[in-house]
Amino acid sequence: MAPTDDNEPAARHAASPTASPPHARRPADDGVAEPPGRRMPRWLPRAMVLALALIASFQLGSWAFHQLTGLLINILIAFFLALAIEPAVSWMAAHGLRRGLATFLVFLGLTIVAAGFVTLLGSMLAGQIIKMVEGFPDYLDSVINWINQKFHMELRRVDVQEGLLHSDWLRKYAQNSAAGVLDVSAQVLGGLFQMLTVGLFSFYFAADGPRLRRALCSVLPPARQAEVLRAWEIAVDKTGGYLYSRGLMALISGIAHYILLEALGVPYAPVLGVWVGLVSQFIPTIGTYLAGALPMLIAFTVDPWYAVWVLIFVVVYQQFENYMLQPKLTSRTVDIHPAVAFGSVIAGTALLGAVGALIAIPAVATLQAFLGAYVKRYTVTDDPRVHGHRRRGPGRPGAFTRLRLLWERRPDSQESS
């Protein structure tokens, strides 16, 4: 049977030796290479792994820093304490004592002074508490009598005491106090451990100061070594000078307040004098008010007018200290502007709390002295504006003259003329 016209193309296609099935045909642009943008670059996996490693390292470092914040603060306190006692240790070492023994003697003296102060303050507070407890019935009787007279009531001390003993407020307070005993004990143990850590680090910083400086300078070039040693020396001078000047002002303040309290007959005058001297000098900004509150309170128990005299003396002595005593004692040790000192205390408190408030002033004084050695200064020109006087232009009238001219140009003055 002869092929028809309908199946002739199919037959030719089957007969062709190079024919391929329809599904095996490739598009016309198969010969064109695939664009390079469609394939992943070889550096991209490595960059992703490196980015993930950096993020993990940052997270690990941040976690470790937050976990070690307490230890770093203790080391910072110990370093400044070692800088403060460095002059005394170096003076003893220059006179033949070993640095370790000299550091031990300095710490022994500081421990004795601190223990004596805490013992005296504790005995004073215990005596006042015992006195308040013993006098509480008489005080309660006076309050009840006053209420009965003013409000015509018939209260009795026995009823008031029973009401207090069986009140829900007292029961809840006792339960909370009993539950908080463990927290207070833990805080006390934590404070003792912190003091031990600070003392240990500060002892090694002071005793091995030369070795520490050599170890630090051994990894620096000679030019950097000189700068580090200069900064270290400035820090020792400023920190030691700050603490010694504060100690001297605390001694003078304590003696002055002791004389006043002893003259007034206020009990525990020596302890209160030491309290006022230390608190007013070593607690910045609010130390004066905290120091004067306790003597005023105890003087008020003797005579209310004695508290007024103590307040007047505290205010007058504070002015004398700010304008007469402190500038002379700190002019060569910590010579910084009061506004800068106040701002540094606020910044230190915001960063490190009470620790930052204590070390802020010597740290800023050290930085100011170190930068002062590298900042070039010039002679100030003799310009009136330097002294706060405004320089007028030639022929420019003064303020009063301009006001007079404006007054004369008013419409009322023109109509009257």
Side-chain angles (χ1 to χ4, degrees):
M1 179 175 168
T4 60
D5 295 338
D6 295 336
N7 56 7
E8 184 176 2
R12 278 201 306 266
H13 179 76
S16 176
T18 60
S20 59
H23 65 271
R25 292 181 181 180
R26 304 182 66 183
D29 57 349
D30 280 352
V32 180
E34 186 177 358
R38 295 183 181 179
R39 283 191 281 179
M40 180 184 296
R42 296 181 179 179
W43 55 267
L44 185 58
R46 297 180 182 179
M48 295 175 62
V49 172
L50 181 60
L52 293 176
L54 291 176
I55 294 174
S57 300
F58 176 77
Q59 294 292 337
L60 180 62
S62 178
W63 173 81
F65 178 78
H66 287 293
Q67 295 296 323
L68 299 175
T69 301
L71 178 61
L72 295 176
I73 292 176
N74 292 335
I75 293 176
L76 181 64
I77 299 172
F79 180 72
F80 272 91
L81 182 58
L83 292 179
I85 66 174
E86 176 70 22
V89 174
S90 300
W91 181 83
M92 292 183 182
H95 286 75
L97 287 178
R98 296 177 56 185
R99 289 190 64 90
L101 180 59
T103 307
F104 173 76
L105 293 177
V106 173
F107 270 93
L108 181 61
L110 293 176
T111 304
I112 292 174
V113 172
F117 173 71
V118 172
T119 303
L120 292 175
L121 185 63
S123 63
M124 181 193 69
L125 294 178
Q128 291 296 319
I129 292 173
I130 293 173
K131 185 177 179 181
M132 290 174 61
V133 171
E134 291 178 351
F136 180 75
D138 297 334
Y139 178 74
L140 185 59
D141 288 337
S142 63
V143 173
I144 291 174
N145 293 331
W146 183 81
I147 293 175
N148 290 334
Q149 292 176 2
K150 293 294 183 181
F151 300 98
H152 304 287
M153 301 177 64
E154 295 181 356
L155 294 178
R156 294 184 304 174
R157 187 175 70 181
V158 178
D159 298 336
V160 175
Q161 289 178 349
E162 289 181 356
L164 289 175
L165 292 175
H166 295 88
S167 63
D168 295 336
W169 174 81
L170 185 62
R171 179 175 54 83
K172 292 180 180 179
Y173 179 77
Q175 292 176 357
N176 295 332
S177 299
V181 170
L182 295 177
D183 296 337
V184 173
S185 302
Q187 291 178 1
V188 170
L189 292 177
L192 292 176
F193 180 76
Q194 185 177 3
M195 292 177 59
L196 180 63
T197 304
V198 171
L200 185 63
F201 274 105
S202 58
F203 180 85
Y204 282 115
F205 284 156
D208 293 340
R211 185 183 304 176
L212 180 62
R213 287 190 286 269
R214 284 197 299 269
L216 183 61
C217 293
S218 62
V219 297
L220 298 174
R224 297 296 181 184
Q225 293 179 14
E227 294 181 1
V228 169
L229 294 177
R230 177 180 176 81
W232 194 295
E233 183 179 2
I234 292 174
V236 169
D237 294 338
K238 295 300 178 180
T239 306
Y242 170 74
L243 292 181
Y244 294 150
S245 61
R246 288 290 175 178
L248 183 57
M249 286 192 295
L251 178 62
I252 298 173
S253 177
I255 293 175
H257 287 84
Y258 163 72
I259 293 174
L260 172 70
L261 297 174
E262 189 69 25
L264 294 176
V266 178
Y268 306 104
V271 183
L272 291 175
V274 175
W275 164 267
V276 172
L278 293 178
V279 174
S280 62
Q281 300 302 324
F282 290 99
I283 296 183
T285 309
I286 62 173
T288 302
Y289 308 102
L290 293 177
L294 185 60
M296 288 174 56
L297 179 61
I298 297 179
F300 184 82
T301 60
V302 179
D303 190 342
W305 284 105
Y306 288 174
V308 176
W309 285 111
V310 172
L311 175 61
I312 294 174
F313 183 82
V314 167
V315 173
V316 172
Y317 181 82
Q318 186 66 28
Q319 302 305 315
F320 166 75
E321 181 182 282
N322 291 336
Y323 293 101
M324 298 294 295
L325 186 62
Q326 183 175 352
K328 294 182 179 180
L329 293 178
T330 60
S331 59
R332 297 184 179 180
T333 55
V334 187
D335 189 13
I336 60 177
H337 195 272
V340 177
F342 182 72
S344 64
V345 169
I346 294 177
T349 305
L351 292 175
L352 299 176
V355 177
L358 289 175
I359 67 176
I361 294 179
V364 171
T366 301
L367 181 62
Q368 178 180 343
F370 184 73
L371 294 178
Y374 295 95
V375 176
K376 187 176 181 180
R377 298 182 180 274
Y378 300 92
T379 303
V380 180
T381 59
D382 191 9
D383 195 311
R385 290 172 292 183
V386 175
H387 305 285
H389 303 296
R390 297 180 61 188
R391 188 174 64 177
R392 300 175 182 174
R396 184 179 180 182
F400 292 103
T401 305
R402 291 197 299 269
L403 288 175
R404 184 175 58 82
L405 293 176
L406 289 174
W407 178 267
E408 293 177 353
R409 292 175 184 176
R410 289 192 317 160
D412 296 340
S413 62
Q414 293 178 359
E415 290 178 359
S416 60
S417 61

